[in-house]
Amino acid sequence: MARANTHNRLRRLELLAVQLKQDAHCTVRDLAQQHGVSMRTIARDLVLMRDQGMQIDADRGRGGGVRLDRNWGVGRMNLTYAEAVDLLISIAVAEQMKSPMLLANLASVRRQLVASFSPEKRKKVNQLKSRILIGVTASTYVQASASAPPKRIVQAVHQAFVDQKVLELRYQREDGVISNRQIEPQYLLLKYPIWYVVAIDRLRNEPRTFRCDRMLGASMGETRFKLLPKEKFQPSLVIDDSSM
């Protein structure tokens, strides 16, 4: 338990340093709420950061803010495994899109990230990458009707996809019909800028494709599902922009 607490505090100190450098005004109360700790804990963290030589300025008075001097660097970036996986998958997506403006230094970054993983984790990451598919750019009709899904929905879809767990959905079709679904998020398909989830719909027990921006609610369940080959979903991978 003590080791876990130490790790959590070190991670929190790293995040605080980045946040204080980027945000023009942070209060101790705001920081405590964002990190899920007490104001006293944040105050102790700030004292420790000052003891380490970080130049942290504070405004006196009620509601005063704290900030890290903008001339202070935050040092080497330390990513968690989950963050490194997300970054590596994002690089894979950029590479598949074959945009020359994005590819200048990505190969070097990817090699460094891959080298930081154990063989077992590399295998897992490669499997995740193989489940992310890139299609043609979405039509102007679809782009005009699209909107960014809320962060809470994106997080639920992401976690269920990575953990291979059933996703509970509240979904609205193009015709306005709303339904509750249980789906297995097997693959993610990007038809820029629209993301689709290629899944097994447990209600119908067959492949279906769901636009992420039409998800009204999403939560990850406890049931794991078995990964199926792409051939099972071949018709769903050729998406008519007006479908679903």
Side-chain angles (χ1 to χ4, degrees):
M1 179 64 72
R3 185 174 182 178
N5 289 339
T6 299
H7 174 78
N8 290 340
R9 188 178 193 191
L10 290 174
R11 182 61 180 161
R12 188 172 65 249
L13 291 173
E14 291 175 359
L15 296 176
L16 281 172
V18 173
Q19 188 172 1
L20 291 176
K21 185 175 177 64
Q22 291 179 339
D23 292 348
H25 184 85
C26 294
T27 67
V28 172
R29 182 182 300 277
D30 290 340
L31 293 171
Q33 291 176 347
Q34 292 169 20
H35 292 274
V37 295
S38 67
M39 293 175 60
R40 181 175 296 181
T41 295
I42 293 295
R44 286 198 295 261
D45 288 344
L46 295 175
V47 169
L48 179 58
M49 292 167 72
R50 288 192 179 98
D51 290 343
Q52 292 175 338
M54 295 187 187
Q55 188 173 337
I56 297 177
D57 300 323
D59 298 326
R60 294 184 179 276
R62 189 172 183 179
V66 291
R67 72 189 65 80
L68 181 62
D69 188 283
R70 293 190 180 278
N71 294 320
W72 182 275
V74 296
R76 179 173 293 182
M77 181 171 58
N78 294 312
L79 299 177
T80 64
Y81 170 66
E83 290 169 339
V85 168
D86 285 352
L87 180 55
L88 190 58
I89 290 175
S90 297
I91 290 174
V93 169
E95 289 176 331
Q96 289 185 60
M97 292 178 69
K98 302 186 185 303
S99 171
M101 294 299 293
L102 298 175
L103 299 179
N105 298 301
L106 288 186
S108 173
V109 175
R110 173 170 45 77
R111 285 195 296 270
Q112 294 179 60
L113 282 171
V114 170
S116 70
F117 294 153
S118 67
E120 181 181 352
K121 288 183 177 179
R122 287 181 207 170
K123 183 178 179 180
K124 182 178 180 180
V125 170
N126 285 334
Q127 184 188 58
L128 284 172
K129 285 166 55 180
S130 71
R131 294 170 58 202
I132 298 178
L133 313 172
I134 306 297
V136 299
T137 301
S139 69
T140 54
Y141 168 78
V142 169
Q143 293 189 44
S145 65
S147 59
K151 183 178 180 180
R152 67 181 187 281
I153 290 179
V154 173
Q155 290 175 332
V157 171
H158 175 276
Q159 200 61 53
F161 172 76
V162 171
D163 293 350
Q164 287 183 222
K165 289 190 175 180
V166 169
L167 188 66
E168 306 274 351
L169 276 188
R170 184 166 174 77
Y171 190 77
Q172 184 173 26
R173 298 190 324 195
E174 186 182 24
D175 59 9
V177 174
I178 297 175
S179 60
N180 295 319
R181 308 288 189 92
Q182 279 193 341
I183 68 170
E184 301 173 2
Q186 300 265 346
Y187 295 89
L188 296 180
L189 172 63
L190 173 62
K191 295 187 67 178
Y192 184 83
I194 312 298
W195 281 98
Y196 296 83
V197 177
V198 181
I200 292 293
D201 184 346
R202 291 197 159 193
L203 180 65
R204 296 177 173 84
N205 195 30
E206 58 186 21
R208 283 288 187 275
T209 303
F210 301 88
R211 267 177 58 171
C212 290
D213 60 312
R214 290 195 184 141
M215 296 177 182
L216 304 179
S219 61
M220 186 178 72
E222 295 297 326
T223 306
R224 288 182 60 85
F225 62 83
K226 181 181 178 181
L227 191 62
L228 300 175
K230 293 178 187 175
E231 293 73 21
K232 173 80 173 177
F233 302 90
Q234 204 58 44
S236 299
L237 299 180
V238 183
I239 297 176
D240 178 355
D241 279 343
S242 63
S243 66
M244 294 302 292

